[in-house]
Amino acid sequence: MDCADIDSRNNLILQFVDKNVLVAITVFSLKDASIPALDQIQAVAETFCSGSSSEMLLSALAGTDPGAEQKLIDSFYNNLKLLVEKTWVEPSDAAVKDQVLYQIDKVHNKMEQRNFADCYVDFVNLLADVVYLLFGPQSKKDDFQEYALRIDPEFGIFWWYVQSLPKTSVWENEKSRAAVLLGMYFLANY
């Protein structure tokens, strides 16, 4: 991707988010261990799900409520599993749906062990597969990010965030944890 693509991509997302949200997402896209500040993560979370309280996410990230992380994991797991189970798919995609349900369980098991660095790549791939089940081949097109932003801005911002993340595991557990918990927050409230 060249500079013009990056600039046009940022111009598009800035139609939907404040610059501080763009900065926080950009920090997550970096391959170094830096983690956005809690207020930046809160701004992203509130942009994902306007009207939802991000208190559970912030408590989980800060470690102020020992049960918050588990509640977020459980809510994510239950909501995503239900979403996929209730999603109608073409008969040709039935095997993909079964594989996604298996992957949800696999990722959930890693989360239960708090091994976020190990589940990070599986989590990102799982999200791509779920989006494929929801939107079909449209999700693989170059203009899908813009399409998603225009039909459902909260989902589009979430998808832009996911697409901004590195596709390989490059972080230690803490940054992976923060990135995964933020993604889980959206899906737990979607």
Side-chain angles (χ1 to χ4, degrees):
M1 179 179 290
D2 63 279
C3 291
D5 289 335
I6 292 170
D7 289 341
S8 66
R9 188 169 175 230
N10 286 345
N11 287 337
L12 174 63
I13 196 67
L14 284 171
Q15 294 175 27
F16 297 89
V17 301
D18 293 331
K19 189 163 182 127
N20 63 335
V21 171
L22 176 61
V23 169
I25 292 174
T26 301
V27 171
F28 273 118
S29 72
L30 300 174
K31 293 186 178 186
D32 67 22
S34 59
I35 300 173
L38 281 179
D39 63 327
Q40 291 176 309
I41 293 173
Q42 181 179 14
V44 176
E46 290 174 357
T47 302
F48 283 172
C49 304
S50 62
S52 295
S53 171
S54 58
E55 187 175 322
M56 183 173 23
L57 171 65
L58 298 176
S59 294
L61 287 169
T64 56
D65 177 357
E69 185 171 286
Q70 188 61 49
K71 288 177 192 171
L72 189 57
I73 289 170
D74 292 344
S75 183
F76 158 78
Y77 174 74
N78 293 331
N79 285 1
L80 191 60
K81 190 127 181 162
L82 182 63
L83 177 67
V84 171
E85 286 172 344
K86 299 298 180 188
T87 298
W88 181 88
V89 297
E90 295 287 341
S92 60
D93 287 331
V96 174
K97 182 176 178 177
D98 290 340
Q99 180 63 27
V100 168
L101 289 168
Y102 170 78
Q103 291 292 15
I104 291 170
D105 289 335
K106 181 180 167 185
V107 168
H108 179 252
N109 288 338
K110 288 180 180 181
M111 288 176 181
E112 288 285 327
Q113 298 169 12
R114 304 306 192 260
N115 193 349
F116 292 99
D118 188 38
C119 79
Y120 171 81
V121 172
D122 291 336
F123 178 77
V124 172
N125 290 334
L126 172 64
L127 297 181
D129 291 343
V130 169
V131 169
Y132 174 79
L133 288 177
L134 294 173
F135 292 94
Q138 173 72 29
S139 68
K140 304 288 185 194
K141 293 185 178 179
D142 290 340
D143 66 346
F144 182 69
Q145 284 184 327
E146 181 175 354
Y147 171 79
L149 280 165
R150 303 237 183 258
I151 63 163
D152 182 349
E154 289 177 349
F155 172 78
I157 294 163
F158 165 73
W159 188 240
W160 190 84
Y161 163 74
V162 171
Q163 292 300 107
S164 297
L165 295 172
K167 303 305 177 236
T168 59
S169 184
V170 295
W171 307 318
E172 295 298 322
N173 201 52
E174 275 312 299
K175 187 165 184 179
S176 295
R177 177 178 172 268
V180 168
L181 288 176
L182 182 57
M184 285 175 26
Y185 170 76
F186 174 79
L187 291 165
N189 290 291
Y190 191 61

